[in-house]
């Protein structure tokens, strides 16, 4: 066995063990409405994306960088996917019952999405959490699933829509068929990949791409979220592009579920408008 295969096996064993020992946890990162769209405090927060973490006994909290292949592993993808569905819907239901009706997005691996049991898994999870309306759930798919089996991905996503869930095209623009997916897949949201947003201030090409995608989304009646918003400069430029929603470290890193409610309460988009104003004056 070569080194790469060995590492892959080690990684999937670590992930499987974490799943069994209940050391996989979800963190949540806010998605916010652009300043001029957010009249009141709460209105500024559109929802949260659920992001998986692995609590390693020695290495601490690990992001998917350290176990991403395991998320799409033949033996693990469905088990992890079901864990995520249950964890996120449990959390969403709790927040709803506590008077915090948050929209939650979750990432679904290509392998789970294309699994014949996926829709059953989804139905089962929704039925187990009647307090979390499907309309508040969004499925994020990257371009890898439709790349493997377009027709099946299309039909499955249509079924998700019929069940009330929203669909987001994640990492939009990084695959090789983005526009045709936009044309043929039933999506309500486009998430512009952070690789286009990162250099938006310095690279006129990136700026043009983000501007074009935002405009296309608007014309199609889709919601558009810019990922990787890290600086006031990013925010300012996205603001001029009329990009309605954003996600990134500027607002918050992904956080444990326990602090979400207090974060929402204390979040104030107007602070960013003030920062923007002083940024413009300098
Ligand atoms: P993604 O779905 O595109 O998620 C966004 C990633 O960007 C997250 O990384 C998030 O922490 C990071 N991010 C957010 N804002 C910023 C920013 O301002 N700057 C930078 N540099 N990064 C930012 P994370 O949590 O490490 O997740 C990486 C990827 O792993 C995700 O990319 C997604 O594809 C996958 N993933 C995460 N959770 C799950 C899950 O529950 N199931 C599956 N199947 N995949 C997941
Ligand atoms: Mg995502
Ligand atoms: Mg993404
Ligand atoms: Mg990504």
């Amino acid at each position: 066995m070569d080194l790469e295969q060995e590492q892959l096996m080690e990684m999937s064993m670590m992930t499987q063990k974490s799943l069994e020992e209940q050391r996989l946890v979800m963190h949540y990162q806010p998605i916010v409405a652009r300043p001029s769209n957010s009249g009141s405090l709460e209105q500024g927060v559109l929802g949260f994306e659920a992001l998986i973490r692995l609590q390693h006994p020695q290495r601490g909290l690990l992001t998917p960088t350290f176990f991403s292949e395991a998320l799409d592993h033949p033996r693990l993808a469905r088990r992890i996917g079901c864990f995520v569905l249950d964890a996120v819907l449990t959390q969403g239901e709790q927040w709803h019952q506590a008077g915090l009706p948050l929209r939650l997005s979750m990432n679904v691996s290509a392998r789970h999405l294309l699994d014949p049991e996926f829709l059953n898994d989804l139905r089962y999870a929704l039925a187990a959490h009647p307090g979390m309306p499907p309309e508040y759930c969004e499925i994020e798919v990257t371009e890898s699933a439709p790349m493997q089996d377009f027709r099946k991905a299309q039909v499955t996503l249509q079924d998700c829509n019929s069940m009330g869930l929203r669909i987001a095209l994640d990492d939009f623009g990084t695959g090789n068929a983005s526009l045709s997916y936009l044309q043929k897949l039933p999506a309500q949201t486009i998430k512009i990949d952070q690789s286009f947003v990162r250099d938006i201030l310095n690279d006129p090409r990136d700026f043009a791409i983000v501007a074009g995608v935002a405009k296309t989304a608007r014309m199609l009646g889709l919601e558009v979220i810019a990922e990787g918003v890290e600086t006031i400069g990013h925010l300012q430029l996205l603001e001029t592009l009329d990009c309605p929603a954003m996600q990134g470290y500027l607002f918050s890193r992904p956080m444990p579920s326990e602090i979400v409610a207090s974060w929402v309460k204390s979040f104030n988009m107007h602070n960013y408008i003030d920062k923007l104003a002083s940024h413009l004056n300098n």
Side-chain angles (χ1 to χ4, degrees):
M1 213 169 27
D2 60 24
L3 187 65
E4 211 173 299
Q5 258 184 316
E6 202 174 307
Q7 280 173 343
L8 197 68
M9 211 171 91
E10 220 170 273
M11 180 199 282
S12 34
M13 273 163 51
M14 166 183 85
T15 310
Q16 180 171 347
K17 200 154 177 280
S18 309
L19 184 67
E20 282 156 5
E21 294 174 359
Q22 304 187 334
R23 285 187 282 99
L24 293 181
V25 291
M26 304 312 291
H27 278 206
Y28 295 86
Q29 186 182 34
I31 299 169
V32 304
R34 64 186 260 254
S36 32
N37 267 359
S38 50
S40 76
L41 296 186
E42 261 87 352
Q43 256 184 340
V45 183
L46 295 174
F48 283 78
E49 176 176 5
L51 295 156
I52 199 164
R53 301 288 181 260
L54 187 156
Q55 216 113 45
H56 193 280
Q58 281 86 41
R59 295 158 68 196
L61 196 69
L62 302 181
T63 67
T65 317
F66 300 96
F67 60 101
S68 62
E69 281 95 340
L71 297 174
D72 209 49
H73 186 278
R75 269 188 307 103
L76 292 176
R78 182 172 172 227
R79 290 178 63 191
I80 295 171
C82 288
F83 160 78
V84 171
L85 280 174
D86 185 62
V88 174
L89 295 183
T90 301
Q91 191 59 73
E93 186 174 46
Q94 274 178 25
W95 281 329
H96 263 77
Q97 286 163 353
L100 194 65
L102 293 174
R103 191 169 105 192
L104 299 180
S105 311
M106 47 203 148
N107 298 281
V108 174
S109 68
R111 196 177 295 274
H112 194 201
L113 188 81
L114 298 175
D115 189 298
E117 291 302 321
F118 175 72
L119 287 169
N120 282 333
D121 293 342
L122 188 56
R123 273 188 214 101
Y124 181 85
L126 287 167
H129 302 289
M132 180 62 176
E135 291 73 23
Y136 282 79
C137 301
E138 188 163 67
I139 300 273
E140 296 195 1
V141 288
T142 60
E143 298 186 356
S144 51
M147 231 131 71
Q148 288 163 40
D149 186 340
F150 184 81
R151 188 62 197 140
K152 191 161 177 192
Q154 189 184 35
V155 171
T156 304
L157 294 176
Q158 274 159 0
D159 286 345
C160 292
N161 265 180
S162 326
M163 290 160 75
L165 289 94
R166 299 169 56 91
I167 307 296
L169 298 179
D170 202 356
D171 304 341
F172 187 80
T174 58
N176 52 19
S178 304
L179 288 179
S180 93
Y181 291 164
L182 197 53
Q183 179 188 38
K184 299 188 187 95
L185 292 177
Q188 285 73 48
T189 303
I190 297 176
K191 299 191 79 174
I192 306 178
D193 191 64
Q194 55 189 47
S195 61
F196 299 108
V197 176
R198 193 173 302 129
D199 294 328
I200 195 176
L201 281 100
N202 305 314
D203 191 333
R205 283 173 180 261
D206 287 347
F207 178 80
I209 292 169
V210 173
V213 173
K215 185 160 185 207
T216 306
R218 198 163 44 247
M219 292 176 76
L220 290 168
L222 302 179
E223 179 175 303
V224 58
I225 301 171
E227 300 192 277
V229 179
E230 292 187 353
T231 65
I232 285 287
H234 286 153
L235 173 63
Q236 182 195 351
L237 214 54
L238 290 165
E239 185 64 10
T240 66
L241 291 182
D242 203 13
C243 180
M246 295 175 245
Q247 179 178 356
Y249 294 167
L250 174 65
F251 307 105
S252 172
R253 296 197 172 235
M255 60 185 100
S257 60
E258 301 82 57
I259 64 174
V260 164
S262 64
W263 188 90
V264 171
K265 232 182 244 152
S266 66
F267 178 74
N268 186 346
M269 194 33 130
H270 297 293
N271 295 342
Y272 293 92
I273 300 175
D274 294 345
K275 277 192 210 164
L276 245 176
S278 59
H279 179 80
L280 289 175
N281 291 334
N282 288 330

